[in-house]
Amino acid sequence: MICRWLKEYEKNVTDAFNPKKRIGNKFAALNSGKYLTENEMLKLQIAKLEIENERLKKGYWVKGAGQNIVNGHWNATKPLEIVVSDMTCIYRKGIRWKWTYLLDVFNNEIIASSITNKIGSNLPYYHCLDVLIAKTKEQTYPVTLHTDQGSVYSSFGFYQAYKNYTNIKRSMSRAGTPTDNPIIESLNGWIKEEPKIDFNLKSVDNLSCLIKKYVEYFNNERLSYKLHYKTPIQYKLEKGFI
């Protein structure tokens, strides 16, 4: 270390005494910040997309995971035959919450749900995946998990989390084609509005508890047109799967 400093001194003389400025990760402060302005959030999202783009170029994306196995055939005949997943954002008191959930196509039941306000956290995705693995571990037929090609869903880490469970088959929408997943996309529009209107979202202190209550309501009380005005649990019961 001293030898390196002496060489630097011989080369730059007094400039060697000046502390070196390290650029570092300019987005580190944004990623650890709890409250971000809209401009800062946009910068962070753009940076993440740029990083993900480089990852895909280098081959980190899992081969074969991008195939659309479902291909528009959504007629599930039994529970946990086709499951869809997505993440949607809820803004409350200036804080962005990311809500990830899994929906069983057979009876429109939310089978897993997880929410976080930590920027950059992918834990909700993995929590929902763990629930799916637990529910289908002893299942005699495979479950097709259909998602978009988001950075988490197409990551090697997500693949590693389920690769040993042969019961799970992956299916993904084509890039930039939300119509490949109409089940989940049709929900994202209004599933955020019901908690605001019917559950008085603005006055609730604990958003996680509110989401749990809403999921219970969605599965056990909310009537679905698709299910001939039955609740998801009622429909599954009448079909003899409970």
Side-chain angles (χ1 to χ4, degrees):
M1 181 176 177
I2 296 175
C3 181
R4 188 175 67 225
W5 181 85
L6 288 173
K7 288 180 180 179
E8 186 71 21
Y9 178 75
E10 290 176 358
K11 184 178 179 181
N12 299 317
V13 193
T14 56
D15 288 341
F17 293 101
N18 297 329
K20 288 183 169 49
K21 293 183 180 180
R22 300 182 182 273
I23 298 174
N25 184 353
K26 59 183 177 181
F27 296 106
L30 294 179
N31 205 37
S32 60
K34 189 174 182 181
Y35 301 101
L36 300 178
T37 64
E38 290 186 6
N39 191 35
E40 289 173 334
M41 288 178 63
L42 182 60
K43 286 182 179 179
L44 183 60
Q45 291 303 317
I46 291 174
K48 287 183 178 181
L49 289 174
E50 289 175 347
I51 292 170
E52 187 60 27
N53 188 43
E54 292 302 316
R55 289 177 70 255
L56 297 180
K57 286 180 181 178
K58 293 179 181 178
Y60 290 125
W61 188 68
V62 181
K63 293 182 179 180
Q67 298 177 357
N68 188 352
I69 297 175
V70 175
N71 198 24
H73 301 290
W74 297 102
N75 296 322
T77 58
K78 47 197 170 187
L80 299 175
E81 185 178 4
I82 304 175
V83 171
V84 292
S85 179
D86 201 6
M87 184 278 291
T88 189
C89 294
I90 299 176
Y91 290 90
R92 180 176 174 275
K93 295 182 179 180
I95 301 175
R96 187 181 72 155
W97 293 75
K98 295 195 295 183
W99 181 17
T100 304
Y101 61 97
L102 297 179
L103 189 82
D104 189 347
V105 173
F106 172 72
N107 65 329
N108 262 29
E109 179 185 356
I110 297 177
I111 61 170
S113 171
S114 186
I115 190 168
T116 183
N117 65 346
K118 294 182 179 179
I119 298 173
S121 175
N122 297 327
L123 289 179
Y125 295 90
Y126 290 95
H127 170 73
C128 289
L129 180 62
D130 288 341
V131 173
L132 181 64
I133 290 172
K135 286 180 176 290
T136 59
K137 197 171 184 180
E138 305 299 327
Q139 195 165 278
T140 57
Y141 53 89
V143 54
T144 299
L145 173 62
H146 187 90
T147 67
D148 59 23
Q149 292 193 26
S151 59
V152 177
Y153 293 124
S154 59
S155 68
F156 186 71
F158 194 78
Y159 165 73
Q160 287 285 101
Y162 73 85
K163 72 172 185 177
N164 293 327
Y165 298 92
T166 55
N167 256 9
I168 297 179
K169 292 184 178 181
R170 290 297 307 280
S171 176
M172 297 180 103
S173 302
R174 293 167 294 174
T177 314
T179 51
D180 281 353
N181 195 350
I183 306 293
I184 206 81
E185 294 297 340
S186 63
L187 276 178
N188 282 343
W190 53 261
I191 202 169
K192 295 183 290 187
E193 295 302 317
E194 283 192 340
K196 291 179 183 177
I197 299 170
D198 299 335
F199 287 78
N200 201 9
L201 176 64
K202 290 183 179 180
S203 65
V204 174
D205 293 326
N206 193 324
L207 186 58
S208 297
C209 288
L210 181 140
I211 293 299
K212 287 180 181 179
K213 289 180 181 179
Y214 177 75
V215 170
E216 285 292 319
Y217 161 78
F218 186 92
N219 289 337
N220 295 281
E221 298 181 43
R222 190 182 188 281
L223 304 181
S224 172
Y225 172 78
K226 175 191 172 183
L227 306 177
H228 307 291
Y229 295 102
K230 296 179 177 65
T231 68
I233 299 300
Q234 181 185 2
Y235 181 82
K236 186 161 67 171
L237 178 63
E238 290 187 1
K239 292 295 181 180
F241 291 103
I242 295 181

